[in-house]
Amino acid sequence: AQSVTQLGSHVSVSEGALVLLRCNYSSSVPPYLFWYVQYPNQGLQLLLKYTSAATLVKGINGFEAEFKKSETSFHLTKPSAHMSDAAEYFCAVSERGGGADGLTFGKGTHLIIQP
Amino acid sequence: EAGVAQSPRYKIIEKRQSVAFWCNPISGHATLYWYQQILGQGPKLLIQFQNNGVVDDSQLPKDRFSAERLKGVDSTLKIQPAKLEDSAVYLCASEGSERGATYNEQFFGPGTRLTVL
């Protein structure tokens, strides 16, 4: 069975600083990996996805993530944090490519941006 | 393009009562999911429909939860009777089925926040 571990339930960074949110996964087959963002009282929005093409994936709002098979990781980064990045971030895995397949999510990381 | 619609947005009930949630997916999307998101946790898949058939309901507590997707469009999720631990946000997501696509994105609705007292 697949699983996702997000290290750090809360991450606080200063505005303009590097954002690093950690995600490790477990999967019995080559996975598809995703990062979603959730703003208060809103649904989930896809930030970026890895679907077995390039290992460095660029997403919306300046975020990117790198798939590292040897480390079973898919960490999310952004070079310079903005106040509007404050939200809940979820890493998710799918074993059947997301085509008609439910996602397994991590517990989430709450990103706090300090002015 | 309209997104995934859910109603109601909020619901407060007492334990042992019944409740139903409604989801209208993006037009043309064949796959529909219901997720349960308990406070402080990530969403957990409850059930997956492909058109009007159930693909996966292995994590649905079938003694109290039921879901249907008549005519392969709208879906309802019902809890009867509700327990305190059912307090959560219930998210609906839909997914297209573009031929040849490596990946078809799941689009999430805003969710229904259920509080069981």
Side-chain angles (χ1 to χ4, degrees), chain B residues 25-69:
Chain B
I26 292 172
S27 178
H29 279 192
T31 307
L32 184 148
Y33 306 85
W34 283 101
Y35 290 85
Q36 180 193 57
Q37 185 178 14
I38 293 173
L39 184 64
Q41 298 183 22
K44 183 185 84 170
L45 178 69
L46 292 176
I47 190 167
Q48 174 190 339
F49 291 95
Q50 180 76 11
N51 296 307
N52 61 350
V54 175
V55 174
D56 182 3
D57 63 357
S58 58
Q59 299 189 86
L60 187 73
K62 299 181 186 63
D63 57 334
R64 298 182 300 106
F65 285 66
S66 64
E68 60 182 10
R69 192 184 183 197

Side-chain angles (χ1 to χ4, degrees), chain B:
Chain B
E1 178 181 80
V4 176
Q6 292 188 247
S7 68
R9 291 295 312 275
Y10 304 90
K11 189 74 176 178
I12 300 174
I13 62 172
E14 297 196 348
K15 60 183 179 182
R16 291 188 289 273
Q17 286 187 321
S18 300
V19 65
F21 313 126
W22 174 81
C23 173
N24 180 234
I26 292 172
S27 178
H29 279 192
T31 307
L32 184 148
Y33 306 85
W34 283 101
Y35 290 85
Q36 180 193 57
Q37 185 178 14
I38 293 173
L39 184 64
Q41 298 183 22
K44 183 185 84 170
L45 178 69
L46 292 176
I47 190 167
Q48 174 190 339
F49 291 95
Q50 180 76 11
N51 296 307
N52 61 350
V54 175
V55 174
D56 182 3
D57 63 357
S58 58
Q59 299 189 86
L60 187 73
K62 299 181 186 63
D63 57 334
R64 298 182 300 106
F65 285 66
S66 64
E68 60 182 10
R69 192 184 183 197
L70 300 176
K71 301 181 182 178
V73 182
D74 293 3
S75 177
T76 56
L77 176 69
K78 296 178 182 178
I79 307 175
Q80 179 180 11
K83 293 185 175 182
L84 296 177
E85 58 261 36
D86 298 332
S87 293
V89 175
Y90 291 85
L91 295 166
C92 179
S94 73
E95 179 181 310
S97 54
E98 183 179 335
R99 284 185 181 276
T102 301
Y103 170 73
N104 292 300
E105 181 178 345
Q106 290 187 29
F107 293 87
F108 285 81
T112 296
R113 183 178 297 276
L114 173 67
T115 302
V116 182
L117 303 177

Side-chain angles (χ1 to χ4, degrees), chain A:
Chain A
Q2 62 220 38
S3 66
V4 172
T5 301
Q6 291 184 239
L7 297 177
S9 59
H10 291 78
V11 170
S12 180
V13 302
S14 298
E15 190 174 18
L18 171 71
V19 175
L20 171 60
L21 304 183
R22 300 177 186 273
C23 172
N24 288 89
Y25 70 90
S26 172
S27 176
S28 56
V29 300
Y32 283 23
L33 295 160
F34 311 87
W35 276 99
Y36 282 84
V37 62
Q38 186 176 37
Y39 297 100
N41 298 317
Q42 294 187 28
L44 296 161
Q45 180 184 9
L46 182 65
L47 272 179
L48 49 78
K49 60 185 182 289
Y50 166 75
T51 55
S52 73
T55 57
L56 182 62
V57 180
K58 294 186 183 300
I60 62 172
N61 302 337
F63 285 94
E64 62 181 38
E66 186 172 9
F67 171 67
K68 293 187 176 180
K69 182 178 178 181
S70 61
E71 299 177 8
T72 61
S73 68
F74 191 58
H75 302 331
L76 181 70
T77 61
K78 181 174 181 178
S80 178
H82 191 273
M83 294 299 291
S84 61
D85 295 328
E88 193 81 16
Y89 291 80
F90 293 95
C91 182
V93 65
S94 166
E95 285 190 341
R96 287 193 285 146
D101 183 25
L103 299 171
T104 298
F105 287 86
K107 292 187 175 182
T109 297
H110 186 62
L111 178 61
I112 300 163
I113 310 298
Q114 305 279 8

